[in-house]
Amino acid sequence: MQIKTPTKEYDVVIVGSGAGGGMSAKVLSEQGLSVAIVEAGPFFDPADPVTKTQMRWAHESPRRGRGTKLRPFGDFDMALGGWDIEGEPYSADEDTDGFSWFRSRMLGGRTNHWGRISLRFGPDDFRKGDIDGLSDNWPIGYEDVKPYYDKVDKLIGVFGTNEGLPNDPDGFFLPPPKPRLHELFYIKGARAAGVPVYPSRLSILTKRINNDRGVCFYCSQCSRSCAVYADFSSGSCLIFPAQKNGGQIDLFMNCMARSVVTNDEGKATAVSYINKEDRQEYQIRGKVIVLAASACSTARILMNSKSEQHPGGLGNGSGVLGRYLHDSTGMSVAGFLPQLLDRDIYNEDGVGGLHVYSPWWGDNKKLDFARGYHVEVWGGMFMPGYGMNWPIEAIQEKLGEPVGGYGPKLKDEMRRVYGAVFGMAGRGEALALYDNYCEINSNEVDEWGIPTLRFHYNWSDHERKQAAHMYDTFSEIFHKMGGQLFTDRPTDKNNGLQMPGKIIHEVGTARMGDDPSKSVCNSMQQLHECSNVFLCDASSFVQQGDKNCTWTILALSWRTSDYIVEELKKMNI
Amino acid sequence: MDRRETLRNLLIGTVAAGTALTTGTACRTNEEGPDLESPSDKGYGIRTPEEDRQDFLVRSFTFFSEGEMAALLVLADAICPEDPSGPAASATKIDEFFEFNLKDMPEIQAPFRGGLAFVQQYSRDQFAGKTLAELEPAELTQLMEALSYPELKEEAPDLAPAIDFMSSMRYMTLTGYYSSREGIKALGYVGNSPNQWDGVPPEVLAKYEVDYEPEWLAKCIDHETANVAAEWDDEGNLLT
């Protein structure tokens, strides 16, 4: 096909089509602005029957759904990309804890497969500087973001319950689904261990919110992106509805953003990108540039946007660009519940994820680590796929049966243990530290000729001790549930913490602040040094909470997009 | 969309509301619609060009010889024989599963193939030159007893390669069997179909002596109201 050079100047050019980019495109286009989205991957609509993976059986894949380097979470997972993308390398400094960087190249980005756990931050999450002084306060508070959290709840839909918890605020929730059987056991066991349990908060429609989107039909496959739009994915819930409402959004697909182009006054004029079809560089002009490419990609684009006016990269006068990178902590255990051997079989697929969870309950002033975590649970009668037999030998061992075997007895054992496995995972808050960062590796370019990132990240004692607390807590709960744990107490130096990046909640590389010498953008996510460039992803986060980042990305993107509209009206940018 | 429409769309598919994209741009949009001739339409959803290339490569040559595959099927049927729950492994296309997946995982090819050869030699040594495919049922049982339990490696360290191979073979057979159409049925999984999850069946709750707390239950979705659009008061109380 013929590739034409874009000639039009858009009101806004947005890089990235995930949660932040999708929200910004929706808000700006519905205000009548012309919007271009530059996305590094192909078009994707979960409703397309040819490309959808939802409702496909394991045996429809020759791998029976097994994960590969090209599709790490399995053949049906709706993230095109992964930890290692051919031709797009990155590196980590030796003698650090390393970094794993997950990228999904497609319309909607990682929102097509994410866990839909949609937790707004609480008041304390914005003022950790006051509470323990180990990281800085945000320049904004919960009261600034609350109206946008509320609007996001109503626009996108999230089930949950108002519990009046001080740091896990109430919202506008749809009713949650009833707990599954193993979740009822968890409720009992966790409470006996002093850990409270509440209905989970997931952006899945248990109830209708409008006529464009369907209601959940409980197939448990949100990671494949929902064909009836009953889960939150950026394409199906933000970009398509905005287009349907008349919003002018042009999609530049398979276009890999390289840098922001600035003029002699240092103002941004365009985004430079490589079209993957012909491998040529193009520029697309915009009055305003919104970067929503994900925390590390946005930092990379800014660092690669060097000019006479911005010699250290765009917005990097402070030198903190790339710094304060932090991911959620992750530590998990698995075991089995003997009471569920030989269980009655029924359809308990439920929604795509947990029906109950435990928000952080502890008081860090009385503990030897600074920040909290929440508990996620899983288990039950999944659709069998590749690897479904993994627990059989561990269970044989725990039951004192001969490990291994064959024939009718082994088949009986397989039926007996099906649905008896249970697991818990902690997702916690890591400190935002100056010494954890990504930077440009000037010795390496990707296949598009763009200099790559090198990571430098080490967990601190606070995260290590938090992980030890997770293991103690999980093993106590398992015991109270009558279960038997497969996971031994981790003995590695990081107490079983997963490698930084593995939880895919990376944030903080271009943090906001009132002081331009210590931050990259202001509290409206506007670059201190370039007033027509805005950041609408988690790069602007000062400090992640013991939550997931997506709901805050959405709320802040909406808030910033409203501000862009106002500033354009006032002719300030 | 209402529930009926939801289910219809699931059956026949629909293309998004927002497909009328117009761009005068340098990039491909979906205006042309999905390319039905593309390898993406292979029956398991969207594939990237790299994935298509890998699948093409894997399907472009044969890995296991006829003799190797015959031996694998003998072992697979010994691990998962026909029983009241379902057919033997060889009746579930497990040969295709072995062939594709061993080619797709080059890192396990050599130990797997070598382990199989070691077991074949063991069979010939123990049973008067007979290969796996030639064994009498009693002989096969004897072989399975000797090789199917990892703890036997302590007594017979020389058999470690055979016992380790049988562990891999057991893993691959169980995974291939229970992810097949017949295996899923044998296990009893009844999901992957549209439904309205309404909690654990009462008889199951009774069996385990657990129950839903009334306060918790009161917060949960009543499917009778699921299709009524949500409205809230200013405090976040759901009104509908």
Side-chain angles (χ1 to χ4, degrees):
Chain A
M1 67 175 292
Q2 194 189 357
I3 291 175
K4 284 177 282 186
T5 303
T7 51
K8 174 176 170 179
E9 182 184 42
Y10 289 86
D11 291 325
V12 186
V13 177
I14 299 171
V15 179
S17 62
M23 178 60 85
S24 189
K26 176 178 164 61
V27 173
L28 295 169
S29 69
E30 289 184 351
Q31 291 294 317
L33 301 180
S34 62
V35 173
I37 293 179
V38 181
E39 164 55 52
F43 181 82
F44 174 70
D45 178 351
D48 184 334
V50 175
T51 56
K52 80 170 184 170
T53 56
Q54 193 184 24
M55 304 307 283
R56 292 192 194 272
W57 290 94
H59 43 80
E60 292 180 55
S61 141
R63 296 175 190 82
R64 308 290 171 88
R66 175 169 51 82
T68 65
K69 185 182 159 190
L70 300 173
R71 195 83 70 120
F73 295 111
D75 254 350
F76 300 113
D77 184 63
M78 201 45 78
L80 306 182
W83 306 105
D84 300 294
I85 298 177
E86 280 179 35
E88 299 185 20
Y90 57 93
S91 53
D93 283 334
E94 281 179 37
D95 304 320
T96 63
D97 287 336
F99 195 84
S100 290
W101 189 20
F102 194 95
R103 292 152 290 169
S104 177
R105 307 292 201 209
M106 62 194 303
L107 189 72
R110 297 182 290 194
T111 66
N112 290 306
H113 89 141
W114 72 302
R116 272 76 178 186
I117 300 176
S118 305
L119 306 173
R120 58 170 75 188
F121 283 14
D124 288 352
D125 296 321
F126 293 95
R127 49 185 197 95
K128 286 293 164 69
D130 292 345
I131 291 172
D132 64 25
L134 293 170
S135 62
D136 290 321
N137 287 345
W138 288 64
I140 51 176
Y142 177 68
E143 63 286 355
D144 296 305
V145 193
K146 181 187 184 299
Y148 288 95
Y149 281 135
D150 291 349
K151 285 160 63 163
V152 171
D153 285 359
K154 291 178 191 169
L155 174 73
I156 290 175
V158 50
F159 71 72
T161 50
N162 288 332
E163 303 287 349
L165 302 171
N167 201 42
D168 298 273
D170 293 347
F172 290 78
F173 292 115
L174 305 170
K178 292 175 190 171
R180 305 176 178 95
L181 185 56
H182 59 269
E183 292 168 333
L184 289 174
F185 295 148
Y186 173 75
I187 293 170
K188 276 174 100 170
R191 284 179 181 166
V195 176
V197 188
Y198 300 97
S200 57
R201 299 175 174 182
L202 273 60
S203 46
I204 298 167
L205 303 187
T206 52
K207 183 176 173 65
R208 193 160 70 83
I209 59 162
N210 61 40
N211 288 328
D212 292 332
R213 294 177 56 198
V215 175
C216 180
F217 54 88
Y218 303 93
C219 75
S220 198
Q221 296 168 25
C222 299
S223 63
R224 305 183 185 191
S225 203
C226 186
V228 302
Y229 303 168
D231 61 20
F232 169 65
S233 301
S234 175
S236 52
C237 301
L238 296 172
I239 296 171
F240 302 154
Q243 291 178 318
K244 194 180 171 191
N245 292 344
Q248 191 198 334
I249 302 173
D250 288 350
L251 301 175
F252 288 64
M253 306 308 302
N254 290 314
C255 292
M256 178 82 178
R258 185 182 65 175
S259 61
V260 176
V261 182
T262 50
N263 63 16
D264 292 345
E265 286 91 58
K267 261 197 128 183
T269 57
V271 168
S272 157
Y273 65 87
I274 314 299
N275 187 316
K276 290 181 170 177
E277 309 271 334
D278 66 356
R279 296 180 178 268
Q280 298 296 308
E281 190 255 354
Y282 296 86
Q283 293 188 1
I284 175 166
R285 291 180 300 134
K287 296 189 181 84
V288 170
I289 309 297
V290 169
L291 298 180
S294 83
C296 296
S297 285
T298 286
R300 180 185 178 200
I301 291 166
L302 289 170
M303 288 189 247
N304 279 327
S305 303
K306 288 183 182 169
S307 64
E308 217 171 286
Q309 288 77 20
H310 304 283
L314 187 57
N316 195 23
S318 64
V320 303
L321 180 62
R323 292 192 174 270
Y324 299 101
L325 168 65
H326 56 298
D327 184 23
S328 294
T329 57
M331 194 276 171
S332 47
V333 302
F336 82 109
L337 302 172
Q339 63 268 42
L340 287 181
L341 294 172
D342 279 320
R343 67 181 299 178
D344 294 297
I345 297 206
Y346 50 91
N347 182 351
E348 67 164 4
D349 284 348
V351 303
L354 57 167
H355 293 186
V356 307
Y357 89 123
S358 295
W360 177 234
W361 64 95
D363 178 356
N364 291 94
K365 288 196 175 70
K366 296 175 184 162
L367 295 163
D368 64 352
F369 59 97
R371 307 288 169 83
Y373 59 91
H374 70 264
V375 186
E376 303 176 5
V377 301
W378 58 269
M381 298 177 279
F382 297 110
M383 187 201 299
Y386 189 97
M388 56 72 65
N389 52 304
W390 70 268
I392 181 71
E393 296 194 354
I395 294 178
Q396 287 171 331
E397 192 182 332
K398 293 283 179 195
L399 293 176
E401 296 280 329
V403 173
Y406 65 95
K409 178 167 182 283
L410 183 59
K411 285 183 91 177
D412 281 341
E413 287 177 324
M414 284 296 294
R415 280 194 299 279
R416 197 157 174 248
V417 307
Y418 176 57
V421 172
F422 178 75
M424 279 177 258
R427 296 287 179 260
E429 179 174 342
L431 294 177
L433 297 173
Y434 180 83
D435 288 331
N436 288 337
Y437 56 86
C438 58
E439 63 184 348
I440 293 296
N441 175 1
S442 49
N443 295 319
E444 183 182 69
V445 293
D446 66 12
E447 68 169 294
W448 316 109
I450 305 171
T452 64
L453 283 181
R454 179 169 56 220
F455 293 90
H456 184 103
Y457 197 126
N458 288 302
W459 294 121
S460 77
D461 274 346
H462 287 288
E463 289 87 42
R464 286 189 272 267
K465 288 175 179 169
Q466 184 198 63
H469 190 272
M470 288 180 190
Y471 186 84
D472 290 342
T473 304
F474 298 164
S475 54
E476 187 184 354
I477 294 174
F478 240 100
H479 178 70
K480 304 273 190 202
M481 293 171 74
Q484 297 203 41
L485 208 52
F486 302 145
T487 316
D488 293 327
R489 176 180 297 282
T491 53
D492 63 298
K493 79 177 171 82
N494 285 333
N495 292 334
L497 283 173
Q498 288 193 259
M499 182 185 279
K502 279 286 185 193
I503 308 306
I504 323 183
H505 293 169
E506 71 280 5
V507 306
T509 52
R511 67 179 196 161
M512 62 166 70
D514 293 331
D515 181 350
S517 73
K518 292 177 178 169
S519 57
V520 174
C521 62
N522 65 23
S523 62
M524 301 313 296
Q525 307 192 117
Q526 181 179 30
L527 290 192
H528 289 302
E529 297 161 22
C530 190
S531 63
N532 65 337
V533 175
F534 294 82
L535 311 179
C536 280
D537 54 26
S539 61
S540 70
F541 281 33
V542 177
Q543 172 65 62
Q544 163 76 295
D546 48 42
K547 316 291 193 308
N548 306 34
C549 35
T550 305
W551 229 238
T552 302
I553 293 171
L554 289 162
L556 292 178
S557 177
W558 195 331
R559 181 170 176 266
T560 289
S561 301
D562 278 354
Y563 178 75
I564 291 171
V565 171
E566 290 306 309
E567 289 294 284
L568 281 172
K569 275 186 197 156
K570 292 181 198 161
M571 313 271 278
N572 284 344
I573 46 176
Chain B
M1 56 187 94
D2 65 16
R3 182 169 161 75
R4 195 181 311 148
E5 195 182 344
T6 290
L7 297 180
R8 197 190 67 224
N9 288 345
L10 277 172
L11 289 172
I12 62 170
T14 176
V15 174
T19 48
L21 307 177
T22 51
T23 72
T25 71
C27 276
R28 184 157 68 180
T29 72
N30 71 324
E31 276 179 292
E32 298 141 39
D35 178 7
L36 293 175
E37 297 301 313
S38 86
S40 295
D41 192 19
K42 283 260 177 65
Y44 66 120
I46 189 168
R47 298 296 112 192
T48 64
E50 292 78 13
E51 289 175 305
D52 283 337
R53 198 186 314 147
Q54 173 65 13
D55 286 6
F56 179 81
L57 275 172
V58 163
R59 293 185 199 281
S60 66
F61 69 104
T62 303
F63 180 72
F64 288 116
S65 70
E66 279 181 32
E68 284 175 319
M69 187 54 80
L72 286 176
L73 291 179
V74 167
L75 295 175
D77 281 354
I79 293 166
C80 282
E82 183 180 359
D83 74 350
S85 74
S90 58
T92 65
K93 295 187 179 164
I94 205 158
D95 50 342
E96 292 173 21
F97 173 76
F98 289 144
E99 177 69 21
F100 186 96
N101 283 276
L102 265 292
K103 285 187 293 193
D104 196 48
M105 293 190 279
E107 65 281 5
I108 65 168
Q109 280 171 8
F112 194 84
R113 166 170 263 168
L116 176 63
F118 191 96
V119 172
Q120 281 283 39
Q121 189 57 46
Y122 172 83
S123 172
R124 284 190 288 265
D125 291 346
Q126 294 292 309
F127 304 107
K130 289 187 193 173
T131 63
L132 286 164
E134 293 162 345
L135 296 181
E136 297 298 325
E139 292 168 333
L140 182 58
T141 301
Q142 200 183 326
L143 178 138
M144 295 303 288
E145 282 295 321
L147 302 181
S148 295
Y149 301 93
E151 67 174 13
L152 294 179
K153 279 195 286 185
E154 284 172 34
E155 294 166 30
D158 290 352
L159 287 183
I163 294 172
D164 287 343
F165 164 74
M166 286 298 283
S167 292
S168 305
M169 184 61 193
R170 194 161 55 245
Y171 186 96
M172 292 298 282
T173 302
L174 291 176
T175 267
Y177 184 78
Y178 286 107
S179 59
S180 71
R181 190 186 305 274
E182 299 81 2
I184 288 173
K185 206 172 156 195
L187 210 53
Y189 173 73
V190 289
N192 196 33
S193 62
N195 73 102
Q196 291 177 315
W197 164 254
D198 203 27
V200 181
E203 65 277 15
V204 176
L205 290 173
K207 181 171 164 184
Y208 289 101
E209 296 178 352
V210 288
D211 207 351
Y212 290 111
E213 294 162 0
E215 317 84 71
W216 192 303
L217 214 49
K219 299 169 182 172
C220 292
I221 182 67
D222 169 2
H223 294 298
E224 295 296 312
T225 67
N227 211 29
V228 184
E231 288 173 31
W232 298 266
D233 68 14
D234 292 341
E235 270 73 54
N237 298 304
L238 188 66
L239 302 174
T240 53

